[in-house]
């Protein structure tokens, strides 16, 4: 069973709209979540990380974390066509420098 | 930002042949990783290393070997390549903060 599950698999939003992506882990030892963005034909690049309950905002991007349910979500407001990419969620376990990646959500922002 | 390079960027190999993928990082990171990426599977960890001379098995190590001769270099070796190993391979490096920096990827086709 995959340690990290993401939903939806794909998402289409209009330009200027809100995109909401979800990620859950089944491993109770997970203590940190990461969101990576991968544009087509490029390598993944870290977008945001979170380890505390609550939310973290950076510009148009907001990440939420509920540690009790091991659920994190990424919200992109005022979505732009340049936000179209594969969004990968990853989780890590305390004192273990390995990331477990989900299958990703493919976001398409239509002009 | 971390600098991770991979070579070759594209490779066509024959079934049963030996393939070596190389990775170099200039950030003095202790940790290095090899992933493969296939549609629908996100990033899957093949091998990783905590420093020169060490290699560890990831989630899908079968059919792959790894070598870490120095802090900067980490190689992935396919002794007997098979068509099922056709994929995009990413190398990454990471320090104590667990964030990983990815190279540009190698597209491998095994005929």
């Amino acid at each position: 069973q995959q340690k990290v599950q993401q939903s939806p698999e794909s998402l289409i939003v209009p330009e200027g709209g809100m995109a909401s992506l979800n990620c859950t882990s089944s491993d109770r030892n997970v203590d940190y979540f990461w969101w990576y963005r991968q544009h087509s034909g490029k390598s993944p690049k870290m977008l945001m990380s979170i380890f505390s309950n609550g939310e973290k905002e950076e510009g148009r991007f907001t990440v939420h974390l509920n540690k009790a349910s091991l659920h994190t979500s990424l919200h992109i407001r005022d979505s732009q066509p340049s936000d179209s990419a594969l969004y990968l969620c990853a989780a890590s376990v305390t004192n273990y420098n390995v990331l477990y990646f989900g299958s990703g959500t493919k976001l398409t922002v239509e002009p | 930002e971390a600098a991770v390079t991979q070579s070759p960027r594209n490779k066509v190999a024959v079934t049963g042949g030996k393939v070596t993928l190389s990775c170099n990082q200039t950030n003095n990171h202790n940790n290095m990783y090899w992933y493969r990426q296939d549609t629908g599977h996100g990033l899957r960890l093949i091998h990783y290393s905590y420093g020169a001379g060490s290699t560890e098995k990831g989630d899908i190590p079968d059919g792959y070997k790894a070598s870490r001769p120095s802090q900067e270099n980490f190689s992935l070796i396919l002794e007997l390549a098979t068509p099922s190993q056709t994929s995009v391979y990413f190398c990454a490096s990471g320090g104590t903060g667990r964030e990983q920096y990815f190279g540009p990827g190698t597209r491998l086709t095994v005929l």
Side-chain angles (χ1 to χ4, degrees):
Chain A
Q1 181 188 2
Q2 204 164 1
K3 196 182 287 284
V4 176
Q5 297 83 38
Q6 290 186 246
S7 64
E9 286 187 15
S10 61
L11 180 64
I12 300 174
V13 299
E15 183 174 356
M18 172 76 86
S20 295
L21 292 67
N22 297 293
C23 174
T24 303
S25 176
S26 56
D27 188 336
R28 302 304 303 178
N29 295 310
V30 164
D31 67 341
Y32 227 114
F33 283 93
W34 309 78
W35 286 94
Y36 280 75
R37 181 167 69 179
Q38 184 180 22
H39 286 108
S40 181
K42 303 295 186 182
S43 59
K45 285 186 168 46
M46 203 274 285
L47 199 57
M48 294 180 73
S49 63
I50 189 166
F51 65 94
S52 297
N53 260 331
E55 75 172 43
K56 183 177 176 181
E57 182 178 331
E58 292 182 7
R60 297 184 293 109
F61 299 86
T62 301
V63 173
H64 292 268
L65 175 61
N66 181 324
K67 294 192 80 170
S69 60
L70 291 178
H71 177 263
T72 179
S73 56
L74 173 67
H75 306 272
I76 307 172
R77 61 177 172 82
D78 189 24
S79 297
Q80 301 298 309
S82 58
D83 294 326
S84 296
L86 180 68
Y87 288 78
L88 295 162
C89 175
S92 62
V93 171
T94 305
N95 297 326
Y96 196 47
N97 289 326
V98 169
L99 296 182
Y100 300 97
F101 283 87
S103 299
T105 293
K106 183 179 179 182
L107 173 65
T108 303
V109 181
E110 292 186 333
Chain B
E1 186 174 319
V4 181
T5 57
Q6 295 182 231
S7 63
R9 294 294 312 278
N10 291 281
K11 173 75 177 178
V12 178
V14 296
T15 298
K18 182 177 181 178
V19 177
T20 300
L21 306 182
S22 300
C23 178
N24 177 275
Q25 55 103 356
T26 59
N27 303 290
N28 202 31
H29 283 160
N30 287 333
N31 307 319
M32 295 187 74
Y33 309 85
W34 275 108
Y35 296 90
R36 64 177 284 176
Q37 185 173 38
D38 306 285
T39 303
H41 287 281
L43 291 165
R44 291 185 290 175
L45 183 63
I46 306 171
H47 284 288
Y48 59 102
S49 168
Y50 288 133
S54 91
T55 60
E56 304 287 339
K57 293 181 179 179
D59 295 327
I60 52 165
D62 293 345
Y64 303 93
K65 288 172 56 178
S67 173
R68 181 88 181 269
S70 66
Q71 180 81 340
E72 297 78 21
N73 296 294
F74 191 36
S75 297
L76 185 69
I77 303 147
L78 290 67
E79 295 277 7
L80 295 169
T82 68
S84 64
Q85 294 175 313
T86 292
S87 187
V88 178
Y89 291 85
F90 285 100
C91 174
S93 75
T96 55
R98 288 191 264 174
E99 179 179 348
Q100 293 183 15
Y101 299 87
F102 286 81
T106 294
R107 184 172 297 275
L108 173 66
T109 303
V110 182
L111 301 175

